[in-house]
Amino acid sequence: MQGRSTGFHATTRRRSFVLVGGRAEASGDFRLEDLPSTSGRLDVLARALRAGLLVSHGVRQDVVVYLVLRGGPKAPRVLRVEGAAAKFLRPDERSMAVLVQKALTTAEETADGFCVLRHGVAVAKGDLDVALEDAQPDVLFVLEQTGADVRDAVSLDAARIAFVVGDPTGFDEGTRADLARLGARPLSVGPRDLHAEDVVTLLANELDRRDARAACAS
Ligand SMILES: C[S@@+](CC[C@H](N)C(=O)[O-])C[C@H]1O[C@@H](n2cnc3c(N)ncnc32)[C@H](O)[C@@H]1O
């Protein structure tokens, strides 16, 4: 089943994690048996996908994860997974990588928009701008070790919020400039330089804690 994206499944609140893979292979041409060496570190993005979308025995319905893939001849491409529509997601890195590989190898190239495959998985031609245009955040954050402390952030209760996270290559100057132009606010989850998937976990946890506090207060 393939088709053009008709927009998100209905959830009022939308939390988007946008993972930028500086060398991540966009073609699906990589070996599952040796993911780190053959895929431009898609293993990092696969783990971040799990961290953003899955809880124990469940999928976060209000989360959308975008992988911006900038490596290889088919780059740039964006892979999107919507929690509200996702099914049969398994938490191990290999299963996540299989999902990514299948999506990248079966998606038809469309001139514009996301090619929807199945169960909330879609692929689009394009770069970070395509992901952010789709996410349409009210508030945009770029995750940086030196940013404002997430524990002090007052804008995390916005209805549509997007977090842009780098991979082991970090952000290049062009990406930093693009994010600054879009008004992205630098946000830190702590004083140490962490792995991308751990950053996503800490963000999700901070949001969970705020949700729990808000539920108690209401
Ligand atoms: C492994 S780090 C990248 C390190 C890379 N060498 C660099 O200099 O940017 C991967 C990404 O996680 C995020 N990150 C790492 N530590 C963080 C922190 N303490 N707070 C917020 N984001 C962090 C950043 O988005 C970073 O690009």
Side-chain angles (χ1 to χ4, degrees), residues 143-145 165-168 170-171 187-190 192-194 196 199:
L143 273 294
E144 300 269 19
Q145 187 183 348
V165 183
D167 74 347
F171 298 118
L187 189 67
S188 171
V189 293
R192 304 292 296 268
D193 188 16
L194 301 175
V199 173

Side-chain angles (χ1 to χ4, degrees), residues 1-6 80 114-118 120-123:
M1 182 200 80
Q2 294 200 11
R4 291 284 303 283
S5 177
T6 52
R80 180 184 75 194
F114 279 85
C115 171
V116 181
L117 301 162
R118 58 206 293 264
V121 180
V123 175

